[in-house]
């Protein structure tokens, strides 16, 4: 845990694999997770519509087991947003959302 899902527009100011690696490392750098448990993947969108003046987007979803404090979640979301803000121009829509997975209903093998 966590599961990090990066959704992004087809055209990026960075190679998708480099984006994935940087986000993965930024999540680990928060010291909130065992590095061996962090899973990161990316999904590219070819079709999307943004507000005027925006040329692309990156949205990061982070699914973590419930129990972390609001402060820990804020630290994680701020760290990931800072990570992608470092290489994206202002013409990109950037966002991060942290989701709690409920142990009562989350299953894995």
């Amino acid at each position: 845990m966590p599961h990090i899902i990066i959704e992004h527009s087809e055209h990026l100011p960075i190679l998708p694999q480099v984006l994935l690696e940087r986000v993965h490392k930024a999540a680990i750098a928060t010291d909130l997770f065992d590095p061996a448990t962090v899973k990161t993947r990316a999904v590219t969108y070819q079709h999307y519509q943004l507000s005027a003046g925006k040329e692309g987007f990156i949205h990061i979803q982070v699914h973590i087991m419930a129990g972390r404090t609001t402060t820990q979640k804020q630290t994680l979301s701020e760290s990931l947003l800072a990570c992608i803000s470092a290489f994206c121009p202002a013409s990109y829509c950037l966002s991060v959302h942290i989701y709690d997975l409920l142990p009562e209903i989350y299953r894995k093998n």
Side-chain angles (χ1 to χ4, degrees), residues 1 15 23 32-33 38 40 55 65 67 72 84 86 88 96 100:
M1 203 49 60
L15 292 172
V23 169
L32 293 172
F33 313 104
V38 179
T40 307
E55 60 181 300
M65 292 305 291
Q72 289 172 316
I84 58 178
C88 284
V96 177
D100 282 329

Side-chain angles (χ1 to χ4, degrees), residues 3-103:
H3 291 279
I4 302 171
I5 303 164
I6 306 166
E7 298 177 312
H8 63 84
S9 54
E10 184 174 30
H11 303 291
L12 291 172
I14 187 172
L15 292 172
Q17 183 62 36
V18 175
L19 166 65
L20 186 136
E21 290 167 3
R22 288 188 183 180
V23 169
H24 189 86
K25 288 177 183 176
I28 290 169
T30 64
D31 291 326
L32 293 172
F33 313 104
D34 173 356
T37 66
V38 179
K39 299 161 200 73
T40 307
R41 54 194 177 269
V43 180
T44 304
Y45 289 89
Q46 294 178 337
H47 306 287
Y48 53 90
Q49 186 168 347
L50 304 171
S51 58
K54 297 296 181 179
E55 60 181 300
F57 73 92
I58 299 174
H59 174 68
I60 301 174
Q61 301 178 41
V62 184
H63 300 267
I64 61 175
M65 292 305 291
R68 297 282 190 325
T69 67
T70 298
T71 301
Q72 289 172 316
K73 294 175 197 176
Q74 289 170 332
T75 297
L76 177 59
S77 63
E78 289 167 5
S79 295
L80 296 180
L81 186 60
C83 172
I84 58 178
S85 295
F87 54 81
C88 284
S91 59
Y92 271 71
C93 298
L94 306 177
S95 56
V96 177
H97 191 102
I98 312 300
Y99 296 89
D100 282 329
L101 295 171
L102 302 175

